[in-house]
Amino acid sequence: MLLNWTVMILYNYFSAMFIGPGYVPLGWTPEKSQDCMYLQYCKVCQSYKAPRSHHCRKCNRCVMKMDHHCPWINNCCGYQNHASFTLFLLLAPLGCIHASFIFVMTMYTQLYNRLSSVKFTFNLYIYIFQSNPLALGTTIAVGMLFIIQMKVILTNKTSIESWIEEKAKDRIQYYQTGETFIFPYDTGSKWKNFKQVFTWSGIPEGDGLDWPVRDGCHQYSLTVIDLQ
């Protein structure tokens, strides 16, 4: 089981690292030239920023459905690797919990027989004061990141889009415009939102450039809000 945890954790970790988030093609423009008015132009990539994409200064590219740049994988988390990154955040704490459980039970069963052993006492010290707190800290820290990622995935958002939504709602409240903010990419179903990221094939839905939107919204609804 420990070997299985290790393989799955490393597989998803390296998948998130090497597959990458997917980048907007250099020189990309929307099919309809009049849609350019809704988009920002990236001077570095010499192309327009597609809906839900943002330019990453560290990657020096416009990233499709960018969530954030992660120093752990030395890459961005976005359209293509969001599922692998989230699975890594799930499996790492589960592996730590399983390892801690095995170590605790091993120590418990051997405690009375080997407590007088100097070597065992040293190993017990290493586990109690170093290994177990490290596993517990990893479980809490990475587990919290997993919860945050699942929260945005189930609403079909990214961390950046959550910030844009908060900014839009604050502006509506401040100016008392009476508008009702509707997030355009939320399908209204958590299961459908989940399936846009997690698929059996491992390839997320869509092409990373065009996205299904709710009734009353269009492809550039959120982009227009971000430009305000």
Side-chain angles (χ1 to χ4, degrees), residues 1-11 91 95 98-99 102:
M1 281 298 298
L2 286 174
L3 181 60
N4 288 334
W5 286 124
T6 302
V7 170
M8 289 189 294
I9 290 170
L10 292 178
Y11 173 78
L91 295 170
H98 185 216
I102 291 176

Side-chain angles (χ1 to χ4, degrees), residues 32-87:
K32 299 179 180 179
S33 58
Q34 60 268 29
D35 290 340
C36 293
M37 61 182 294
Y38 302 117
L39 300 172
Q40 290 179 315
Y41 186 79
C42 179
K43 295 181 180 179
V44 177
C45 298
Q46 296 292 304
S47 62
Y48 286 92
K49 296 180 182 179
R52 312 192 77 177
S53 68
H54 300 273
H55 186 83
C56 176
R57 295 181 180 178
K58 294 182 179 180
C59 294
N60 205 33
R61 287 291 301 273
C62 286
V63 177
M64 294 190 293
K65 195 186 176 185
M66 179 177 175
D67 187 88
H68 67 286
H69 184 91
C70 179
W72 290 2
I73 61 175
N74 192 32
N75 211 335
C76 278
C77 175
Y79 164 67
Q80 291 185 350
N81 64 351
H82 204 171
S84 298
F85 180 76
T86 306
L87 286 173

